[in-house]
Amino acid sequence: MKTIAIDFETANEERGSACSVGLAWIENGRIVRVEERLIRPRDMRFSPFNVAIHGIKPVDVEDAPEFPEVMDEFIEDFRDATMIAHNAAFDFSVMRASFDKYRQSYPQLSYLCSVKMSQRVWPSLPSHKLNIIAHHLQLRFVHHNAAEDAVVCAAAAIAVAKAVNVEHIHHIPEKIGMVAGRLHAAGYAPCTMRKR
């Protein structure tokens, strides 16, 4: 069972403006591979607000491939994978909007939200933002770097699996009352939590 954490950074407020993606592969409770790619957004409009968050400027992505080319490299990895994002509603809306912009169909996969996981498993934390989770797990990282965010997201999912005593991350939902999100050619379903 393939398990991959993903994080997108966007050039502006539009979901279809991905300018960076980070990926972290998980096998047997360990992070085994990390990749980061810059993405050239189709319209190249960078908002000062977004640049202030992640530091990626137009000049950084001038020679980068556009979204379809970047996704082509990983699409086989995504197929039938369990994917995780910290605030999955955001990252998978970026993925959908970007595929939509290029009129491409979505890969078939299921996805989990590490924010929702951490809220359920560590309710006493002051917040469930990625930097707070990283501090809780005693990890140092550069926030809003897509690869580093994906690594912390993956580490959070591994820690949650241990906390709820399951062998594999895709077993977490049944333990905590989560319904995995789905992406497929015909559309998507969001990742949700059942009320307790």
Side-chain angles (χ1 to χ4, degrees):
M1 178 64 77
K2 295 175 289 187
T3 310
I4 307 165
I6 189 167
D7 181 80
F8 284 104
E9 301 297 333
T10 55
N12 58 58
E13 72 288 348
E14 288 182 11
R15 291 292 199 256
S17 68
C19 62
S20 175
V21 63
L23 300 155
W25 283 255
I26 302 165
E27 284 178 18
N28 302 317
R30 290 177 50 245
I31 297 165
V32 296
R33 177 184 170 196
V34 179
E35 300 285 351
E36 180 183 14
R37 298 291 181 272
L38 290 173
I39 301 168
R40 186 174 72 247
R42 183 179 258 182
D43 67 3
M44 284 295 279
R45 181 174 64 83
F46 280 70
S47 88
F49 177 81
N50 290 54
V51 172
I53 290 171
H54 52 58
I56 301 168
K57 302 178 185 72
V59 66
D60 299 321
V61 299
E62 270 175 5
D63 299 322
E66 290 190 35
F67 184 84
E69 193 179 335
V70 173
M71 289 298 107
D72 279 351
E73 183 181 351
F74 304 114
I75 207 77
E76 281 306 313
D77 290 303
F78 295 166
R79 193 162 285 122
D80 298 320
T82 297
M83 298 193 69
I84 312 147
H86 204 72
N87 187 10
F90 172 79
D91 290 284
F92 286 94
S93 70
V94 170
M95 184 181 269
R96 292 194 321 269
S98 299
F99 277 119
D100 290 346
K101 185 168 267 197
Y102 292 94
R103 297 186 176 158
Q104 293 188 313
S105 60
Y106 306 151
Q108 182 164 307
L109 55 87
S110 63
Y111 65 90
L112 309 176
C113 178
S114 55
V115 171
K116 293 181 192 307
M117 288 181 199
S118 58
Q119 287 169 336
R120 184 60 56 96
V121 175
W122 302 307
S124 61
L125 290 180
S127 152
H128 295 87
K129 292 180 177 176
L130 206 54
N131 59 327
I132 302 294
I133 300 295
H135 183 262
H136 176 69
L137 298 175
Q138 299 180 320
L139 299 172
R140 294 175 62 172
F141 83 125
V142 179
H143 202 0
H144 299 299
N145 168 281
E148 298 221 1
D149 286 4
V151 166
V152 174
C153 174
I158 292 165
V160 166
K162 285 182 183 154
V164 300
N165 200 26
V166 295
E167 200 168 307
H168 196 283
I169 286 162
H170 72 257
H171 293 308
I172 292 171
E174 62 206 56
K175 278 281 195 170
I176 66 170
M178 175 179 274
V179 179
R182 302 275 313 155
L183 220 59
H184 47 82
Y188 80 102
C191 176
T192 58
M193 294 297 289
R194 295 189 192 94
K195 286 193 170 69
R196 281 191 158 167

